[in-house]
């Protein structure tokens, strides 16, 4: 009799566990939209998508990694290289570019939105190129800092209101969506650098790192103000920057050592960010 009771109890527990599986295994998000710039789209990372080719989107970018991790039913990646905050509600013409605003992908039933934006508003690519040029005459100094001074911090502050408007625009179009603002991976080490492999003067390395931290800090503050979640890849990418060994780096240098655009994330960096966002959404990470 005791054995029969034990068997029945075990069967009852197993049935209860099986009945609980469908609810827990069901996709938490069904309609996911990815917005943002080239740190989202993944230029030159295989395989490049054709929708449109001029946006340089990869099937291995962090939104694609995240969509697969979450098992979402409907995934729309409308990110585009070169995008600025103005291209969320307006058309981004030229190459990179596309014929519709990124906000056109948002729907009332969109329940997850990720966005990385603001780097092009402050002109980070041009800043890197300018600082690289100035480093040739003064590799051990800080010619970039001397040239820009506090103006880059002012650019970041000015971009804050634009990011706030973007987040308000997302909430207006997709009021029930979980919004995740994703910051930028670390580009440079804390100090020293690796001139001339990455031609940034030694004194400008911490200066530019500080600007990037200000940018991520602004994004975090705007996310908090809008009630969105903020994920900061800068925090997990120490030792994974442009000066790291080819097998360690998550962001490529001026001359890439893997298939990715210069001074942009590679496939490993994208996977790391996708896993970090998944963890922030409560999905167990498979490791990065």
């Amino acid at each position: 009799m005791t054995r029969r009771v034990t068997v029945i109890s075990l069967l009852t527990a197993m049935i209860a566990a099986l009945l609980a599986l469908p609810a827990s295994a069901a996709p938490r998000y069904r309609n996911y939209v990815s917005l943002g710039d080239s740190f989202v789209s993944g230029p030159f990372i295989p395989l490049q998508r054709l929708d449109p080719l001029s946006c340089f989107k990869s099937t291995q970018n962090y939104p694609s990694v995240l969509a697969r991790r979450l098992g979402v039913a409907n995934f729309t990646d409308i990110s585009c290289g070169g995008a600025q905050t103005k291209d969320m509600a307006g058309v981004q013409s030229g190459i990179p570019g596309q014929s519709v605003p990124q906000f056109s992908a948002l729907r009332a039933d969109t329940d997850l939105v990720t966005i990385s934006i603001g780097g092009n508003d402050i002109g980070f690519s041009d800043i890197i190129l300018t600082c690289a040029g100035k480093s040739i005459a003064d590799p051990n100094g800080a010619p970039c800092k001397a040239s820009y001074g506090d103006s880059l911090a002012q650019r970041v502050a000015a971009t804050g209101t634009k990011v706030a408007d973007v987040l308000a625009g997302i909430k207006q179009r997709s009021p029930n969506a979980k919004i995740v603002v994703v910051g930028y991976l670390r580009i440079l080490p804390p100090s020293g650098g690796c001139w001339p492999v990455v031609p940034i003067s030694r004194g400008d390395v911490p200066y530019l790192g500080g600007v990037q931290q200000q940018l991520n800090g602004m994004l975090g503050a705007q996310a908090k103000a809008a009630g969105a979640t903020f994920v900061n890849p800068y925090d997990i990418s120490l030792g994974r920057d442009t000066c790291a060994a080819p097998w360690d780096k998550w962001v490529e240098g001026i001359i890439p050592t893997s298939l990715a655009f210069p001074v942009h994330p590679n496939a490993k960096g994208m996977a790391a960010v996708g896993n970090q966002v998944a963890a922030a959404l409560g999905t167990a990470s498979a490791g990065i």
Side-chain angles (χ1 to χ4, degrees):
M1 185 68 176
T2 303
R3 182 179 298 175
R4 181 179 297 177
V5 171
T6 302
V7 171
I8 291 173
S9 298
L10 287 172
L11 287 173
T12 301
M14 290 174 63
I15 291 170
L18 288 171
L19 288 174
L21 278 177
S24 61
R28 184 176 175 185
Y29 301 102
R30 296 190 59 82
N31 301 298
Y32 167 32
V33 174
S34 162
L35 310 172
D37 55 27
S38 55
F39 264 62
V40 181
S41 64
F44 293 11
I45 300 173
L47 297 167
Q48 291 286 289
R49 293 172 52 165
L50 304 177
D51 55 343
L53 180 61
S54 58
C55 277
F56 303 102
K57 282 184 289 189
S58 170
T59 57
Q60 298 299 319
N61 62 13
Y62 84 70
S64 299
V65 171
L66 179 63
R68 289 190 288 269
R69 287 288 306 277
L70 298 178
V72 293
N74 301 297
F75 168 49
T76 303
D77 182 4
I78 198 168
S79 64
C80 194
Q84 298 182 30
T85 51
K86 65 181 178 60
D87 301 314
M88 300 300 101
V91 172
Q92 181 184 344
S93 59
I95 298 177
Q98 56 189 337
S99 60
V100 294
Q102 292 197 26
F103 276 172
S104 66
L106 298 174
R107 300 285 185 268
D109 63 351
T110 299
D111 53 9
L112 176 62
V113 178
T114 59
I115 180 167
S116 301
I117 202 70
N120 290 322
D121 288 78
I122 72 167
F124 212 92
S125 293
D126 289 338
I127 293 166
I128 291 292
L129 290 174
T130 298
C131 294
K134 290 181 178 296
S135 76
I136 296 173
D138 190 8
N140 292 312
C144 184
K145 180 179 180 180
S147 177
Y148 284 112
D150 295 331
S151 66
L152 299 185
Q154 294 169 9
R155 291 188 194 182
V156 171
T159 301
T161 57
K162 300 175 185 178
V163 172
D165 290 342
V166 167
L167 297 179
I170 295 172
K171 293 171 71 174
Q172 180 183 7
R173 292 163 175 82
S174 302
N176 299 315
K178 171 75 171 180
I179 303 172
V180 182
V181 179
V182 183
Y184 293 87
L185 283 164
R186 175 188 289 271
I187 294 175
L188 294 166
S191 62
C194 52
W195 194 95
V197 176
V198 176
I200 300 296
S201 299
R202 290 180 62 88
D204 285 330
V205 168
Y207 169 69
L208 291 177
V211 172
Q212 194 180 2
Q213 290 181 73
Q214 290 168 357
L215 175 60
N216 281 334
M218 177 273 289
L219 292 173
Q222 294 301 333
K224 182 178 180 179
T229 296
F230 179 59
V231 174
N232 191 2
Y234 194 92
D235 293 339
I236 66 170
S237 50
L238 180 64
R240 305 287 191 173
D241 53 76
T242 55
C243 289
W247 50 88
D248 287 331
K249 68 177 62 174
W250 288 348
V251 178
E252 294 297 322
I254 300 293
I255 301 176
T257 54
S258 66
L259 289 174
F261 196 72
V263 199
H264 278 72
N266 55 30
K268 288 187 291 186
M270 287 295 189
V273 177
N275 283 335
Q276 188 185 21
V277 178
L281 291 172
T283 302
S285 175
I288 50 180

